Amino acid sequence: MDLLQLLSWACIVFTIWMFSTGLTDLKKMRESKSTENIQFLPFLTTCLNNLGWLSYGFLKKDQTIVLVNIIGALLQILYIVMYFHYTSDKRLLMLQTLAAGTVLTCGWLYFTTFLTEGSARLSQLGLTCSVVTVSMYMSPLTDLVKIVRSGNVQCLSFPLTVATFFTSTSWVLYGLQLNDYYVMVPNTPGIFTSLVRFYLFWKFASVDQSLPSYKSLQI
């Protein structure tokens, strides 16, 4: 097995591990029959991100990207369906899902109608997916600032932090091997935010704190 194959398997295993951390929230919803203290938008935005990278993987004929994002999208759809089943505010969720569907449809029309086949479509789709991924990784920074001020890390998930670190690192190395900056660059912030969270755990976590298994993909 060469280095590229090894990194490919690392990307698959670590990314599926990161996505599957949402099963903890799924368990909470089933046990409590409620979505209290569980966020919906991370599931929705992650699903859109998966579908975008899935299209990029198909265009580039990269089986690793395709496989990971098929599994990721299916998991997010499962989380969305279960959230809709247990939530009491179905109207808001319908509006948010409709808005996401509209964005997805407009994006699909743009990339299939206004862009020609080939490198132009691939590069613009890669850039769009990269921007979305970077924004998802960087969005929790405001929460991290609050944690620094409060000294309370109970809203963070240590297992998810570990999964995010290994996932981001494997994708950065995979993108480096392929010389694909659209894969490498957007995953770099994931390493940075994970290291910040490791530092916060080291500084503020005490042995008697109970850490929830999952808050959202971004945190």
Side-chain angles (χ1 to χ4, degrees):
M1 181 181 293
D2 60 22
L3 180 59
L4 185 60
Q5 287 179 313
L6 182 62
L7 289 172
S8 173
W9 278 107
C11 290
I12 293 170
V13 171
F14 289 133
T15 308
I16 292 174
W17 174 25
M18 185 177 70
F19 288 144
S20 64
T21 53
L23 293 172
T24 303
D25 271 349
L26 190 60
K27 182 180 178 182
K28 288 180 182 178
M29 287 188 282
R30 291 188 62 185
E31 290 177 348
S32 65
K33 309 297 182 183
S34 169
T35 58
E36 185 178 1
N37 297 323
I38 299 175
Q39 302 176 32
F40 174 71
L41 283 180
F43 297 140
L44 188 60
T45 55
T46 303
C47 185
L48 290 179
N49 195 40
N50 287 145
L51 293 174
W53 281 113
L54 180 60
S55 300
Y56 181 82
F58 275 126
L59 282 177
K60 195 176 180 182
K61 297 180 173 60
D62 188 308
Q63 294 182 353
T64 302
I65 296 177
V66 169
L67 176 61
V68 162
N69 286 284
I70 285 177
I71 296 173
L74 290 175
L75 282 173
Q76 302 309 316
I77 291 171
L78 172 63
Y79 302 151
I80 289 170
V81 170
M82 296 304 293
Y83 196 103
F84 186 84
H85 177 71
Y86 289 115
T87 187
S88 59
D89 195 358
K90 290 182 171 55
R91 185 173 181 275
L92 176 61
L93 263 63
M94 286 291 292
L95 291 175
Q96 292 174 336
T97 305
L98 182 61
T102 302
V103 170
L104 186 65
T105 302
C106 290
W108 178 79
L109 289 174
Y110 172 74
F111 284 109
T112 57
T113 305
F114 297 100
L115 291 179
T116 58
E117 296 282 351
S119 59
R121 180 187 295 179
L122 184 66
S123 61
Q124 289 205 28
L125 181 57
L127 180 60
T128 302
C129 292
S130 297
V131 170
V132 174
T133 301
V134 169
S135 65
M136 291 178 68
Y137 276 131
M138 300 303 289
S139 60
L141 288 180
T142 54
D143 288 334
L144 296 182
V145 171
K146 293 178 183 177
I147 292 170
V148 171
R149 291 174 178 174
S150 66
N152 185 355
V153 294
Q154 288 187 343
C155 62
L156 292 179
S157 164
F158 188 76
L160 183 58
T161 300
V162 175
T164 302
F165 175 77
F166 282 109
T167 299
S168 301
T169 302
S170 59
W171 280 113
V172 168
L173 295 175
Y174 183 73
L176 187 62
Q177 282 292 306
L178 294 177
N179 199 29
D180 188 334
Y181 291 99
Y182 296 124
V183 173
M184 181 176 62
V185 173
N187 285 285
T188 303
I191 300 175
F192 168 73
T193 56
S194 296
L195 291 175
V196 171
R197 283 175 284 177
F198 282 134
Y199 171 74
L200 294 177
F201 279 117
W202 172 78
K203 185 173 182 180
F204 297 119
S206 59
V207 292
D208 59 344
Q209 282 180 320
S210 59
L211 301 177
S213 298
Y214 184 85
K215 183 178 179 182
S216 74
L217 176 63
Q218 294 92 344
I219 295 302

